Amino acid sequence: MFKEQLKAAMERAGMNQKQLAEATGISRPTISEYLKGSYVPKDAQLEKLSKVLSFAGVNIPEKQEKQLEIDTGSFEDVEKFLLSEKNVSVKEAAILLGVGQQHVKLALQQGTAPYGYAVKCRKTSEDTGDRYVYHISPKKLMEYQIFNKAD
């Protein structure tokens, strides 16, 4: 699992969570969640970690397995996946709903999606547009998907 790979790489580099956070720009609480196995990093964070810890080409099988379950799984597989997650990504929701990612984002931003919400982030001087953080409830997404299939 990724958490073991990260722990080993940190030990080899002689870094603690605080040092890794400072070197990568990833928050210490996020690194802590990676080490607990609660989350796996997205590609951008993985690239930062790889540069600092020199473990290019790390394979994150959890991401591949979960994506496979969503793309090809039976309803029971999808249900199991959704209930195991704390938050569903916009990409995963779009795949499950059979719509584009932009459709999901707009519904969340406008408050018309019963399965989640979007929070507008404060702009910084580097931001050129609005930034949002998305929360999609696995349980509510599953209920929404079931309800819409019944129609």
Side-chain angles (χ1 to χ4, degrees), residues 2-131:
F2 176 76
K3 67 180 187 177
E4 284 87 15
Q5 293 172 324
L6 180 59
K7 285 176 189 175
M10 287 174 64
E11 287 174 12
R12 282 192 305 273
M15 297 182 89
N16 62 31
Q17 291 181 33
K18 182 179 178 187
Q19 292 166 327
L20 185 58
E22 290 170 356
T24 60
I26 299 170
S27 73
R28 199 214 47 81
T30 299
I31 291 171
S32 176
E33 293 299 322
Y34 295 158
L35 290 167
K36 286 189 234 174
S38 302
Y39 304 109
V40 292
K42 294 185 178 184
D43 292 338
Q45 283 78 15
L46 182 59
E47 187 175 326
K48 291 176 185 178
L49 291 166
S50 296
K51 284 180 182 175
V52 171
L53 296 174
S54 302
F55 59 76
V58 171
N59 183 22
I60 305 180
E62 304 97 270
K63 282 187 172 185
Q64 294 168 353
E65 290 167 10
K66 288 179 181 181
Q67 188 64 47
L68 180 64
E69 285 180 19
I70 288 175
D71 288 342
T72 62
S74 66
F75 178 77
E76 291 78 19
D77 290 337
V78 172
E79 179 181 33
K80 181 180 173 185
F81 167 76
L82 286 174
L83 294 177
S84 72
E85 294 294 300
K86 295 179 182 177
N87 193 27
V88 176
S89 74
V90 170
K91 181 178 180 179
E92 292 163 340
I95 291 168
L96 288 168
L97 297 172
V99 299
Q101 291 182 46
Q102 192 62 27
H103 177 86
V104 173
K105 288 179 179 181
L106 286 173
L108 293 167
Q109 291 170 14
Q110 295 169 352
T112 59
Y115 46 80
Y117 57 89
V119 178
K120 193 173 187 178
C121 299
R122 186 179 331 163
K123 287 187 177 187
T124 65
S125 60
E126 294 122 28
D127 289 339
T128 57
D130 292 334
R131 296 182 66 199

